Amino acid sequence: MGLLSKKDANLILDPLADNNPITIQVLGICSALAITAELKASVVMALSVLFVLGVGNVVISLMRNIIPSKIRIIVQLIVVATLVIVVDQVLKAFAYELSKTLAVFVGLIITNCIIMGRFEAFALGNGPWKSFLDGIGNALGYGVILIIVGFFRELLGSGTLFGIPVLGDPIAKTGLYATGYENNGFMIIPPAALIVVGIIIWVQRSRNKALIEEA
Amino acid sequence: MLEHLELFFKSIFIDNMVFAVFLGMCSYLAVSKKVSTAVGLGAAVIFVLAVTVPLNWLLDQYLLRDGALVWLGPEYADYNLSFLSFILFIATIATMVQLVEIVVEKFSPSLYNSLGIFLPLIAVNCAILGGSLFMQAREIPSLGLAFNYGVSSGIGWFLAILAIAAIREKIRYSNVPAPLRGLGITFIITGLMGIGFQSFGGMLTGDNEPPEEVETSTAKTIEEKEIKKEIEDEEKAVSYNEVINE
């Protein structure tokens, strides 16, 4: 890490674990849960948020001294909305099938609390380079959880990863299915995402006792 | 009348904002520690959804969708501005929330005192934007139904946050494993409630969602047919010219 000072590196690394936007800051849950039934959708969503948050943080940080604080929410919304339109149009042009699966959830990046949360908490008070790192770090922290949830839901729910069967063929009973293993259809339905995230929080907090909440 | 009833119950129970599509989870988790605040936020969500969904329906119908500008004149029939819907919807929502805040403060201070603190929060609540985007995606056919959709999905969200707030008030007296306390157990309870709500899925037997695949494929075949037609026309024209030349 010759390029980054230790402080800068922490901006990226902290949100990955101990200050994770989803499990610790409780931001941006909506989209994290709704689209994680497949790994591919999770990855695309994570990349979209990475783009929007990275660029958005820089833009807001550059404008931080000229935005009147009374109308900052609207300014932020317009910046995010513009970036999201770019993402949406790119997805529609190059990954049409996927943009159908993600449907309205691409649009909902606009109201993803991570974005507004980082704008408010970081970009409005820091320079562009730091804000960029902070944006990337938080988007990665978000992406990590998304990918973990997507991985388990797709693997246990349909026995595939990125749509490729990895546990054998459930109909021909090959691979793991020969031993009597069955796909867990429960993992596909939406509420399973909540339970998977709940378990991730459980694991993380039992490994790091400092994160446990007061009752 | 029947379709209003169907949409009403469907948006409250089957397509519940929280349990089926996870909208507004941030404020759902953050503001559900006490029943009284949960009721305030829930009421504000119903109110704002009831205002913004019909408004965005009008925008979608007369400005954004493919050929929506035809009322300006036949030469505008080809315009499709739907890529602007995100930015217009969110701008409508942000301004409406501000406007509602001002109006309510002026005319009903008591309502303002109970809703007031939550209104600014709501502009960035995904349930609100989600309501408008789903309204657009599901192609709700009339203004009345759009209003109905806004109100009923607001009520669904209200019920969800009310239920989780009541459960969280009680769970304080239970012996939850330390790492699960707070956020973790709330997630798992919401998951279990969601599974409960899934059982409402059998309540309406009508067709749930229009088969989108079919629509796109027919659109494609129509396009292909048109292209073929054009090619054939061109070929005809060419052969016609050849005949003339001969």
Side-chain angles (χ1 to χ4, degrees):
Chain A
M1 287 277 192
L3 188 63
L4 303 169
S5 68
K6 185 141 177 33
K7 227 175 166 185
D8 286 353
N10 278 346
L11 284 178
I12 290 197
L13 296 179
D14 262 1
L16 287 182
D18 290 348
N19 197 16
N20 189 286
I22 294 183
T23 60
I24 310 295
Q25 302 175 35
V26 207
L27 297 174
I29 317 281
C30 329
S31 51
L33 301 171
I35 44 90
T36 47
E38 289 168 38
L39 193 50
K40 207 164 150 194
S42 317
V43 173
V44 170
M45 192 67 181
L47 289 177
S48 315
V49 170
L50 187 73
F51 170 76
V52 174
L53 193 50
V55 178
N57 248 359
V58 172
V59 173
I60 291 292
S61 156
L62 287 173
M63 297 199 302
R64 69 184 187 281
N65 294 325
I66 50 170
I67 304 176
S69 72
K70 272 201 173 159
I71 57 155
R72 64 177 194 285
I73 302 272
I74 295 201
V75 175
Q76 289 165 4
L77 284 174
I78 298 296
V79 170
V80 190
T82 318
L83 291 169
V84 170
I85 289 177
V86 172
V87 169
D88 185 50
Q89 296 295 318
V90 168
L91 279 181
K92 270 189 187 143
F94 295 106
Y96 188 70
E97 289 302 314
L98 212 57
S99 80
K100 278 267 174 210
T101 344
L102 291 175
V104 301
F105 290 98
V106 178
L108 288 173
I109 297 178
I110 297 172
T111 47
N112 191 325
C113 334
I114 292 186
I115 313 249
M116 298 298 278
R118 291 330 290 174
F119 283 3
E120 283 282 303
F122 202 92
L124 279 176
N126 288 283
W129 172 238
K130 277 198 168 145
S131 306
F132 178 69
L133 292 179
D134 179 77
I136 298 288
N138 276 284
L140 285 177
Y142 169 84
V144 165
I145 300 291
L146 232 67
I147 289 168
I148 295 175
V149 177
F151 175 82
F152 282 112
R153 282 183 74 191
E154 191 176 348
L155 184 69
L156 300 177
S158 22
T160 57
L161 288 177
F162 289 109
I164 303 160
V166 285
L167 299 180
D169 190 342
I171 296 155
K173 299 269 177 232
T174 57
L176 198 56
Y177 296 98
T179 62
Y181 174 83
E182 292 279 349
N183 280 332
N184 186 355
F186 169 72
M187 297 305 278
I188 299 289
I189 63 170
L194 284 160
I195 292 174
V196 175
V197 175
I199 292 170
I200 293 175
I201 292 174
W202 191 358
V203 171
Q204 192 185 15
R205 290 187 182 185
S206 44
R207 287 166 61 97
N208 186 348
K209 301 280 184 211
L211 299 175
I212 292 174
E213 284 175 51
E214 297 293 319
Chain B
M1 192 58 218
L2 200 62
E3 58 184 344
H4 273 276
L5 264 184
E6 188 181 330
L7 184 71
F8 186 74
F9 285 109
K10 201 175 151 203
S11 341
I12 292 182
F13 293 110
I14 302 172
D15 294 329
N16 186 290
M17 281 269 184
V18 172
F19 299 126
V21 282
F22 307 114
L23 295 180
M25 288 299 288
C26 303
S27 28
Y28 170 85
L29 290 169
V31 194
S32 60
K33 286 194 178 117
K34 274 170 71 188
V35 170
S36 52
T37 45
V39 170
L41 183 68
V45 166
I46 299 181
F47 191 59
V48 175
L49 268 175
V51 176
T52 55
V53 172
L55 212 63
N56 281 334
W57 184 86
L58 288 174
L59 265 183
D60 183 46
Q61 209 69 16
Y62 295 108
L63 204 62
L64 294 171
R65 64 166 45 196
D66 197 6
L69 288 173
V70 76
W71 55 274
L72 278 177
E75 67 270 30
Y76 292 98
D78 295 338
Y79 283 74
N80 182 358
L81 296 179
S82 54
F83 67 94
L84 284 177
S85 40
F86 292 157
I87 206 163
L88 272 184
F89 283 0
I90 197 72
T92 315
I93 288 167
T95 40
M96 273 320 291
V97 169
Q98 290 268 303
L99 199 67
V100 163
E101 199 181 344
I102 295 166
V103 170
V104 169
E105 189 181 9
K106 177 89 181 152
F107 291 103
S108 168
S110 61
L111 185 66
Y112 179 75
N113 284 335
S114 53
L115 292 188
I117 1 158
F118 300 110
L119 282 173
L121 252 179
I122 277 182
V124 288
N125 186 328
C126 12
I128 310 293
L129 181 62
S132 290
L133 289 176
F134 271 114
M135 172 275 297
Q136 190 190 31
R138 288 179 189 162
E139 294 176 354
I140 299 232
S142 74
L143 186 62
L145 280 173
F147 176 72
N148 181 342
Y149 181 71
V151 172
S152 51
S153 27
I155 294 176
W157 200 89
F158 177 84
L159 284 181
I161 196 170
L162 189 63
I164 194 74
I167 293 175
R168 282 180 83 170
E169 276 195 359
K170 291 287 169 211
I171 216 164
R172 227 174 287 155
Y173 308 109
S174 325
N175 189 13
V176 179
L180 264 182
R181 245 178 246 152
L183 191 57
I185 194 73
T186 314
F187 265 98
I188 292 179
I189 291 173
T190 312
L192 295 176
M193 286 161 79
I195 296 170
F197 265 68
Q198 291 259 315
S199 58
F200 285 116
M203 203 166 70
L204 297 173
T205 44
D207 52 334
N208 274 344
E209 273 169 28
E212 287 177 25
E213 298 290 323
V214 180
E215 280 176 24
T216 52
S217 66
T218 49
K220 257 185 200 166
T221 48
I222 289 171
E223 268 181 21
E224 279 170 9
K225 267 181 197 166
E226 282 177 355
I227 291 170
K228 262 185 195 167
K229 228 186 189 176
E230 281 177 13
I231 293 172
E232 279 173 9
D233 287 350
E234 276 178 15
E235 281 173 359
K236 265 182 197 166
V238 169
S239 56
Y240 188 63
N241 285 345
E242 281 172 5
V243 171
I244 290 179
N245 286 344
E246 279 176 19

